[in-house]
Amino acid sequence: MPHTVHTQVISPTRPVGRRQSQAGFSIIEIAVTLVVLGMLLATAVPSMSAWIRNAKLRNQAESLQTGLQQARNEAVRRNRPITFYLVSNGTSTVLNNSCTVSASGSSWVVSVRDPGSACAAAPATTSADSANPLIVVKRLGTEGSTGVSVSGLASDGSTAASSVTFDTLGRPSGNLRRIAVNYASAQTDDRPLRVDITPAGMVRSCDPLITSTSDPRRCL
């Protein structure tokens, strides 16, 4: 007679009194993390502010340098004098006919004739119109450079100047020889810049705070 085999399954039992481990952070760990994060942010904010201010200075200096170089290139290409003008505008959003040629203007216009009270004119495609300034290109100073001050100066570094004309060989005439770029309310971390025009018509940006004669960024 066959024997019947009985199998008994024994379930594992959980030890009494043992608690499952809990994942997550304690209130103390969260508080310490927030304190450290606050300290890091407090340290980074001044550096970020200085970086933004200096980025605006660089943007403005690069814009002025580009405008001057374009005026020179156009004079040579068109075989006629072309002038770079610093202009102030009645609005910060668009160059309009309230503009005036000014040594402290942060906007600029490259044109055949004085663009004062006519900055809304579109770039000219013909030289037949004697009434308009025949603008070649223009740029609003607040584009990426809000709050930045501009000072056009003659070669003596003190006389105000607002325009420079390049002849067909790219040589400059007129008083404007350098443009200072800074803030009216300077801060210790500011890096003011300057754009210079050489007697031969070359345009370069430089750092007036650098004094080392071996540093190519030094103003001459």
Side-chain angles (χ1 to χ4, degrees), residues 67 70-71 82-85 108-112 134-138:
Q70 187 157 3
I82 300 291
T83 305
F84 172 93
Y85 296 90
W108 55 261
V109 174
V110 173
S111 179
V112 175
L134 299 180
I135 292 173
V136 177
V137 66
K138 54 188 176 182

Side-chain angles (χ1 to χ4, degrees), residues 199-211:
M202 301 302 294
V203 181
R204 65 183 295 268
S205 179
C206 62
D207 188 334
L209 296 182
I210 294 176
T211 57

Side-chain angles (χ1 to χ4, degrees), residues 10-219:
I10 302 175
S11 300
T13 59
R14 180 180 301 171
V16 178
R18 179 177 295 179
R19 299 176 60 187
Q20 288 182 314
S21 60
Q22 299 294 323
F25 300 98
S26 68
I27 294 178
I28 295 177
E29 290 172 328
I30 294 174
V32 171
T33 301
L34 291 175
V35 170
V36 173
L37 181 60
M39 294 173 63
L40 291 175
L41 288 175
T43 304
V45 166
S47 298
M48 180 61 68
S49 176
W51 184 88
I52 292 173
R53 286 174 63 88
N54 288 322
K56 289 182 178 181
L57 292 173
R58 289 192 299 272
N59 287 343
Q60 183 66 10
E62 289 172 0
S63 169
L64 293 166
Q65 185 174 0
T66 297
L68 287 163
Q69 289 173 334
Q70 187 157 3
R72 185 174 189 262
N73 293 340
E74 289 295 322
V76 174
R77 185 179 74 84
R78 297 174 184 234
N79 195 35
R80 67 177 302 172
I82 300 291
T83 305
F84 172 93
Y85 296 90
L86 290 173
V87 297
S88 294
N89 201 51
T91 174
S92 61
T93 57
V94 64
L95 274 171
N96 57 29
N97 289 340
S98 67
C99 71
T100 57
V101 175
S102 170
S104 60
S106 60
S107 301
W108 55 261
V109 174
V110 173
S111 179
V112 175
R113 292 186 287 272
D114 188 333
S117 300
C119 291
T125 57
T126 176
S127 59
D129 187 355
S130 59
N132 289 324
L134 299 180
I135 292 173
V136 177
V137 66
K138 54 188 176 182
R139 187 180 191 276
L140 188 66
T142 55
E143 295 178 13
S145 304
T146 54
V148 175
S149 297
V150 171
S151 300
L153 302 166
S155 57
D156 61 8
S158 59
T159 303
S162 59
S163 65
V164 57
T165 300
F166 295 93
D167 65 16
T168 58
L169 297 177
R171 297 172 301 192
S173 62
N175 292 331
L176 183 63
R177 287 295 182 275
R178 61 180 61 174
I179 305 174
V181 180
N182 49 38
Y183 285 101
S185 299
Q187 297 185 9
T188 54
D189 291 332
D190 288 349
R191 299 295 301 187
L193 297 171
R194 201 175 83 196
V195 181
D196 288 351
I197 308 166
T198 70
M202 301 302 294
V203 181
R204 65 183 295 268
S205 179
C206 62
D207 188 334
L209 296 182
I210 294 176
T211 57
S212 174
T213 56
S214 61
D215 194 320
R217 297 172 298 168
R218 182 178 67 97
C219 292

